[in-house]
Amino acid sequence: MAAALQVLPHLARAPLHPLLWWGSVARLASSMALAEQARQLFDSAVGAVLPGPMLHRALSLDPGSRQLKVRDRSFQLRQNVYLVGFGKAVMGMAAAAEELLGQHLVQGVISIPKGIRAAMERAGKQEMLLKPHSHVQVFEGAEDNLPDRDALRAALAIRQLAEGLTADDLLLVLISGGGSALLPAPIPPVTLEEKQTLTRLLAARGATIQELNTIRKALSQLKGGGLAQAAYPAQVVSLILSDVVGDPVEVIASGPTVASSHSVQDCLHIVNRYGLRAALPRSVKTVLSRADSDPHGPHSCGHVLNVIIGSNVLALAEAQRQAEALGYQAVVLSAAMQGDVKSMAQFYGLLAHVARTRLTPSMAGASVEEDAQLHELAADLQIPDLQLEEALETMARGRGPVCLLAGGEPTVQLQGSGRGGRNQELALRVGAELRRWPLGQIDVLFLSGGTDGQDGPTEAAGAWVTPELASQAAAEGLDMATFLAHNDSHTFFCRLQGGAHLLHTGMTGTNVMDTHLLFLRPR
């Protein structure tokens, strides 16, 4: 309620009839109560995929038998465990793993983004920091998520550790989002600069992320199963925190512990498609010709156990449980929301309108055309396993408050040079869409937040909006369309009601893409 009182002065500026004024205050109080619940659910989603809980769900150690159990597999420990890791969340994962393994952990090397350790220290997240006498060596690099010399040094140290292992050893590999940029180790004579140049040329000509990953793997010592091969004959257990839609282990961090299914011919086909065959450096041609003539063929990874220990699916499942505990009918729409934020905002706005007719059947209903438009938007977005019908049927059946949950990673087409991120832009666009539709006697709130706590180059994780957003903005002289045209959602939310609509969590130490929450509550 304190947050509501903070916003009341903004309401008082407009001359309203007393009954209208009190009605506005009541709606504001209801919105702020919904915002508190939204924050609670978002925090529960993030909490389910924090490094400590994830590691302890995936691993268990029996001190008596010294057996390490990973899902349904057991490994004998005798001070024979080594650890490597790369990604935005691996420091917290390494800290939890070292605490669990104790004396059995002999040595470790992790590669994390520059500045992460200091940020964790400032945030007071002691549980995600390694102890002073840790056996794990930390490298920081890949500033702005770009491979650099520091990340290269870390990758070579990881390779050296892996190559020194024997059949009696166990290598624990920790992987999270951002891992690809933190593990650059081109096959000599290819240099880091040559690999980066080729990647940029392909990207500039429209190559897909799958095509870029195919080239990266072919030119890497460690990606595409290279790390697993370097560790052979040691047993390898790879614990993966997924930041990719669908959780494909071969794509996350370019699959360092997953055998690549691509051939040299696949690489040459990609290069030819974008007219870059003549531009290939001699070193790249040399590496590809060597691979083409390798008599051993593709490497297998039979000594590897790959386990997804954290994902958007797990985060949403926990938020769903919390929503149900609060009395909501909760439906997970999809953990694979992707596509342009404009289309996604239209989908959420129209979904709220169509939902109204299920929740308040006495009101004028959505037309058959609007229902068809909603399904058409969903089809255009090509969202895998979208539970749209289940959500609509749940609302029609229950007539009570509903919480729709989703996750994924939408894309933003940049047109301006403003500040923001995909979550704040999506929230602002949903706010603009909600004003288009009469929502009747239901309270609506939409929240979008990044589970890593950082939405683009800002200190916010995301933002929340209600149908009153447009009128609130107008009362403060803020033109939503102008801010959207400049991709300046962060500035908009900072100015609106003193930043009351921003979601601030600080760096969370995890990353499983984004979480979307849509609340629909009859008055």
Side-chain angles (χ1 to χ4, degrees), residues 75-238:
F75 300 87
Q76 186 66 50
L77 302 191
R78 44 183 179 274
Q79 297 183 351
N80 60 340
V81 184
Y82 295 79
L83 180 152
V84 298
F86 28 92
K88 297 176 180 178
V90 299
M91 188 167 67
M93 294 167 72
E98 186 165 29
E99 182 181 4
L100 176 72
L101 295 168
Q103 64 178 357
H104 296 293
L105 180 61
V106 180
Q107 182 187 357
V109 178
I110 62 173
S111 178
I112 63 175
K114 192 170 184 178
I116 284 280
R117 182 161 42 180
M120 291 296 183
E121 289 171 351
R122 287 194 301 271
K125 295 186 178 294
Q126 296 301 318
E127 73 281 5
M128 296 189 190
L129 296 171
L130 294 163
K131 299 294 188 291
H133 302 293
S134 171
H135 291 162
V136 179
Q137 184 181 9
V138 180
F139 288 83
E140 294 192 40
E143 193 168 11
D144 298 323
N145 202 34
L146 296 172
D148 56 21
R149 288 286 157 187
D150 291 329
L152 177 59
R153 280 191 287 272
L156 296 180
I158 287 171
R159 188 196 68 184
Q160 184 178 23
L161 184 151
E163 288 178 340
L165 301 180
T166 71
D168 295 325
D169 297 322
L170 172 66
L171 179 65
L172 202 60
V173 182
L174 309 176
I175 302 175
S176 75
S180 186
L182 289 158
L183 197 70
I187 299 172
V190 178
T191 66
L192 181 60
E193 291 74 18
E194 286 173 331
K195 187 177 176 183
Q196 287 175 306
T197 298
L198 178 56
T199 302
R200 279 196 296 268
L201 284 172
L202 285 165
R205 298 198 181 191
T208 66
I209 185 62
Q210 292 81 6
E211 290 171 328
L212 293 175
N213 278 339
T214 298
I215 297 293
R216 287 188 187 118
K217 290 177 185 180
L219 301 178
S220 173
Q221 299 180 54
L222 299 175
K223 293 167 184 170
L227 175 59
Q229 187 63 28
Y232 186 83
Q235 289 293 304
V236 177
V237 173
S238 185

Side-chain angles (χ1 to χ4, degrees), residues 84-393:
V84 298
F86 28 92
K88 297 176 180 178
V90 299
M91 188 167 67
M93 294 167 72
E98 186 165 29
E99 182 181 4
L100 176 72
L101 295 168
Q103 64 178 357
H104 296 293
L105 180 61
V106 180
Q107 182 187 357
V109 178
I110 62 173
S111 178
I112 63 175
K114 192 170 184 178
I116 284 280
R117 182 161 42 180
M120 291 296 183
E121 289 171 351
R122 287 194 301 271
K125 295 186 178 294
Q126 296 301 318
E127 73 281 5
M128 296 189 190
L129 296 171
L130 294 163
K131 299 294 188 291
H133 302 293
S134 171
H135 291 162
V136 179
Q137 184 181 9
V138 180
F139 288 83
E140 294 192 40
E143 193 168 11
D144 298 323
N145 202 34
L146 296 172
D148 56 21
R149 288 286 157 187
D150 291 329
L152 177 59
R153 280 191 287 272
L156 296 180
I158 287 171
R159 188 196 68 184
Q160 184 178 23
L161 184 151
E163 288 178 340
L165 301 180
T166 71
D168 295 325
D169 297 322
L170 172 66
L171 179 65
L172 202 60
V173 182
L174 309 176
I175 302 175
S176 75
S180 186
L182 289 158
L183 197 70
I187 299 172
V190 178
T191 66
L192 181 60
E193 291 74 18
E194 286 173 331
K195 187 177 176 183
Q196 287 175 306
T197 298
L198 178 56
T199 302
R200 279 196 296 268
L201 284 172
L202 285 165
R205 298 198 181 191
T208 66
I209 185 62
Q210 292 81 6
E211 290 171 328
L212 293 175
N213 278 339
T214 298
I215 297 293
R216 287 188 187 118
K217 290 177 185 180
L219 301 178
S220 173
Q221 299 180 54
L222 299 175
K223 293 167 184 170
L227 175 59
Q229 187 63 28
Y232 186 83
Q235 289 293 304
V236 177
V237 173
S238 185
L239 304 178
I240 304 166
L241 176 60
S242 173
D243 70 332
V244 179
V245 167
D247 308 330
V249 291
E250 72 277 5
V251 173
I252 302 166
S254 298
T257 56
V258 184
S260 177
S261 59
H262 299 290
S263 67
V264 171
Q265 290 307 313
D266 293 326
C267 296
L268 294 177
H269 180 67
I270 293 167
V271 170
N272 288 336
R273 179 183 302 166
Y274 297 104
L276 292 172
R277 184 72 174 264
L280 287 181
R282 181 182 297 275
S283 59
V284 171
K285 293 177 181 177
T286 299
V287 168
L288 293 180
S289 64
R290 276 191 211 147
D292 205 21
S293 60
D294 185 350
H296 303 293
H299 302 300
S300 69
C301 290
H303 59 301
V304 178
L305 174 63
N306 289 302
V307 182
I308 298 285
I309 64 170
S311 67
N312 198 269
V313 171
L314 293 171
L316 291 177
E318 180 58 32
Q320 182 183 29
R321 283 191 288 271
Q322 292 295 324
E324 290 169 347
L326 290 173
Y328 287 90
Q329 299 174 83
V331 178
V332 175
L333 288 169
S334 173
M337 300 295 283
Q338 52 192 337
D340 183 68
V341 289
K342 291 181 183 178
S343 299
M344 193 166 292
Q346 291 170 2
F347 170 77
Y348 280 126
L350 188 52
L351 175 58
H353 172 56
V354 172
R356 178 207 61 159
T357 65
R358 270 71 171 181
L359 292 171
T360 54
S362 60
M363 304 294 293
S367 68
V368 174
E369 289 80 10
E370 289 164 354
D371 227 66
Q373 186 182 348
L374 177 64
H375 287 82
E376 185 179 337
L377 274 170
D380 289 344
L381 285 167
Q382 298 182 329
I383 302 166
D385 301 323
L386 179 65
Q387 303 300 308
L388 179 57
E389 293 308 319
E390 180 189 345
L392 295 176
E393 288 170 9

Side-chain angles (χ1 to χ4, degrees), residues 49 106 179 327 364 409 413 426 515:
V49 289
V106 180
E409 197 166 275
Q413 298 295 322
L426 177 59
T515 296

Side-chain angles (χ1 to χ4, degrees), residues 407-450:
E409 197 166 275
T411 53
V412 177
Q413 298 295 322
L414 292 176
Q415 297 171 313
S417 56
R419 295 187 69 218
R422 58 181 179 264
N423 289 285
Q424 292 165 86
E425 174 135 347
L426 177 59
L428 182 52
R429 289 190 179 279
V430 169
E433 288 293 326
L434 289 176
R435 69 178 172 181
R436 295 180 53 204
W437 305 105
L439 295 171
Q441 295 300 306
I442 64 169
D443 292 319
V444 179
L445 183 141
F446 176 80
L447 177 146
S448 182

